[in-house]
Amino acid sequence: MKQEIEKIRSIVQSNDFTNARFDLSSMELNILFKIIEKIRKEPHRENMFNENLVVEFFPKDFSEVADQDHTNQAKEALRSLRRKEMDITDKDGNWINMGFINYAEYKAKFKTFEVEVSKKILPHFLQLTEKFTTINILVLLSFKSKYTKRLYEIACQYRNKAGKSFFLEIDDLRQKLRLGKGYKLKSDIKKRVIDVALEELKEAFEKKQSDIWLQPWEEGIGNKTVFWFKIHERNEDNDIPDINTLEEQLRSINQMNKSFFKKDSKFCKRIEAYLREHTDLIPQVLGKQIKVMKTYAGKGNNDVPRVMRWVYLEDFGIQ
C-alpha cells in the first residue's frame, strides 16, 4: 500500500512559488524551507495577509541545516537570503518581484532570531490555491545539491498526476533552476545539472532517504531538446520495504529507543536531536538497531539496551 508521505512531515506551497524564478544556494534553500515550515505552524488570523508576519526562531530550529555552530551559520544564511529576490508570474500574466525576507535579527540575550516575512510572499508559502505541491521537508533537507532540491520540488508537483510524468524544455530549466549563462550547451546542462541531480536522487532513494526517484529520457536535439521525467515512488514493487523515508526511519528508531531506554528519556531525545543534525546517519542507525535486535533479543537477558548504548557511543559518538 502506498505510503502517504505528506502526512508525516510536509510543507505545502503554491505551484506559482514552486515554478518561480530564484537563485539560492543549497544552504539558503534549507533555511528558506525551515522558515516556510515555521510559518505554517503559526495560528491563522483573520487579517493575517494584510500585514507582514514576524516569526521567532531558536538556534536549534536550524539544527537540520547547519553544523554545531547553528547561530553563526544561521546568521550567514539569513543575511544572504535577505539579499536574494524572486520573480513570480501567474497563469494570468501577473508578475511580482520580491525578497524572501524583510529582515533578520538575532537577540543575544534570549538567543532567538526574529525574521519578518512580507505579506506579499505569505500566500505563496501557504496552501491558498486549489493546486498545491506537497513536499517532505526532511527528504528535501537531506539533498546536498541545490539542483536536486529544485528538481525534487518540481517533481512533487506532478506525483499525483495521471502518468506521473513531466517535461522541461531547456529554457524552462534555465529559468526554474536559474542556470545563468554558464550552461549554454545542452551537454553542459545534462552533465552538470540534470545528471548530478538524478544521481543524488536515485542514491537517496536506494538508501531509503527519498520517497521518489526520476527516470529520464529526451526528445529532440540540441537546444530544442525536451527532457522528460517519469516519477517512481516506493512500494511500486512489493519487495521494497515499507520504511521508506528518513522521517519514517527516524520515527522507527525513536520507538525502539523508547522501548530500550524506558528510564532515560533524555538519552532518547539526545539521539533524535543528533540524527536530525546528521540525517545521513539515520539509515545506518536503523540498520544497527535491527542487527542488535536480531542478535540479542528474546534470549532471556537484557543485553539489547546495553549493546545499543555501546553502539551509539562507539559508532556514532552519542552519549
Side-chain angles (χ1 to χ4, degrees):
M1 180 177 174
K2 178 183 173 182
Q3 298 291 324
E4 296 185 39
I5 303 300
E6 61 271 18
K7 291 185 179 180
I8 300 172
R9 179 179 172 203
S10 63
I11 56 176
V12 183
Q13 62 191 34
S14 72
N15 282 345
D16 286 339
F17 179 82
T18 300
N19 296 323
R21 298 179 57 189
F22 53 85
D23 182 19
L24 300 180
S25 68
S26 180
M27 175 64 73
E28 289 162 354
L29 281 171
N30 285 348
I31 291 291
L32 176 62
F33 286 114
K34 288 297 293 183
I35 291 174
I36 294 174
E37 183 186 38
K38 195 81 171 181
I39 289 173
R40 287 190 55 76
K41 295 179 181 179
E42 288 286 310
H44 285 222
R45 304 182 301 277
E46 185 176 350
N47 65 340
M48 184 173 185
F49 304 112
N50 295 326
E51 57 187 30
N52 297 338
L53 179 66
V54 175
V55 184
E56 187 176 59
F57 294 84
F58 293 92
K60 66 180 181 180
D61 288 319
F62 295 98
S63 62
E64 289 175 328
V65 299
D67 61 17
Q68 294 182 356
D69 192 2
H70 308 316
T71 302
N72 288 337
Q73 284 214 353
K75 284 180 180 178
E76 182 60 33
L78 287 168
R79 181 185 296 112
S80 179
L81 191 61
R82 188 191 63 78
R83 296 170 179 167
K84 294 295 179 70
E85 60 182 25
M86 68 183 299
D87 289 347
I88 289 182
T89 302
D90 66 19
K91 61 182 180 180
D92 298 319
N94 299 311
W95 168 84
I96 186 171
N97 174 275
M98 53 189 164
F100 291 94
I101 61 176
N102 293 342
Y103 72 82
E105 180 181 4
Y106 179 67
K107 299 179 180 179
K109 180 178 179 180
F110 303 103
K111 296 183 178 180
T112 59
F113 289 90
E114 183 178 286
V115 177
E116 184 182 75
V117 178
S118 169
K119 62 184 180 182
K120 291 292 186 179
I121 204 172
L122 270 176
H124 298 285
F125 284 168
L126 302 170
Q127 182 184 352
L128 295 178
T129 59
E130 292 182 1
K131 295 181 179 180
F132 60 87
T133 301
T134 303
I135 301 169
N136 187 299
I137 192 171
L138 197 56
V139 172
L140 189 72
L141 293 175
S142 70
F143 298 133
K144 295 180 181 179
S145 169
K146 65 179 182 180
Y147 301 131
T148 311
K149 296 178 192 292
R150 287 293 284 141
L151 196 57
Y152 175 79
E153 287 180 75
I154 295 168
C156 284
Q157 184 177 345
Y158 296 93
R159 65 190 305 169
N160 295 320
K161 303 291 185 181
K164 293 187 177 181
S165 299
F166 66 98
F167 69 88
L168 294 172
E169 297 177 351
I170 288 184
D171 286 344
D172 290 333
L173 283 165
R174 288 198 176 101
Q175 291 178 3
K176 293 178 180 178
L177 277 65
R178 278 291 181 96
L179 299 182
K181 299 179 180 180
Y183 301 91
K184 294 183 179 180
L185 301 177
K186 164 199 163 181
S187 57
D188 290 336
I189 294 176
K190 186 177 186 304
K191 180 179 179 180
R192 298 167 58 187
V193 178
I194 295 178
D195 289 350
V196 169
L198 293 178
E199 182 178 354
E200 184 177 19
L201 192 59
K202 185 63 181 295
E203 182 179 353
F205 184 87
E206 291 173 347
K207 291 181 178 179
K208 301 181 177 62
Q209 296 175 2
S210 174
D211 46 346
I212 65 172
W213 67 278
L214 300 177
Q215 178 183 3
W217 74 94
E218 302 174 23
E219 293 182 358
I221 59 174
N223 285 333
K224 299 295 183 180
T225 299
V226 175
F227 293 95
W228 279 89
F229 303 92
K230 169 71 174 179
I231 302 169
H232 292 278
E233 299 188 77
R234 199 161 300 280
N235 288 347
E236 291 175 344
D237 188 323
N238 292 330
D239 293 332
I240 298 177
D242 286 338
I243 299 177
N244 55 55
T245 68
L246 290 174
E247 187 67 50
E248 288 177 303
Q249 291 177 46
L250 184 56
R251 182 170 58 182
S252 179
I253 290 170
N254 291 338
Q255 289 173 345
M256 282 193 273
N257 282 339
K258 290 177 182 178
S259 175
F260 297 156
F261 313 112
K262 296 179 181 178
K263 297 182 180 180
D264 198 347
S265 60
K266 292 183 178 180
F267 183 50
C268 296
K269 290 179 180 178
R270 288 200 299 274
I271 295 171
E272 180 179 4
Y274 184 85
L275 292 178
R276 287 194 177 278
E277 293 180 28
H278 305 83
T279 56
D280 58 308
L281 297 179
I282 291 176
Q284 297 179 41
V285 170
L286 181 59
K288 291 281 187 179
Q289 280 188 335
I290 294 173
K291 185 175 181 179
V292 170
M293 286 287 290
K294 287 181 177 179
T295 304
Y296 295 97
K299 295 186 177 181
N301 53 40
N302 198 32
D303 283 342
V304 172
R306 178 176 57 81
V307 173
M308 276 309 305
R309 193 179 287 271
W310 181 85
V311 167
Y312 279 125
L313 177 61
E314 293 297 317
D315 291 2
F316 304 103
I318 307 173
Q319 58 183 347

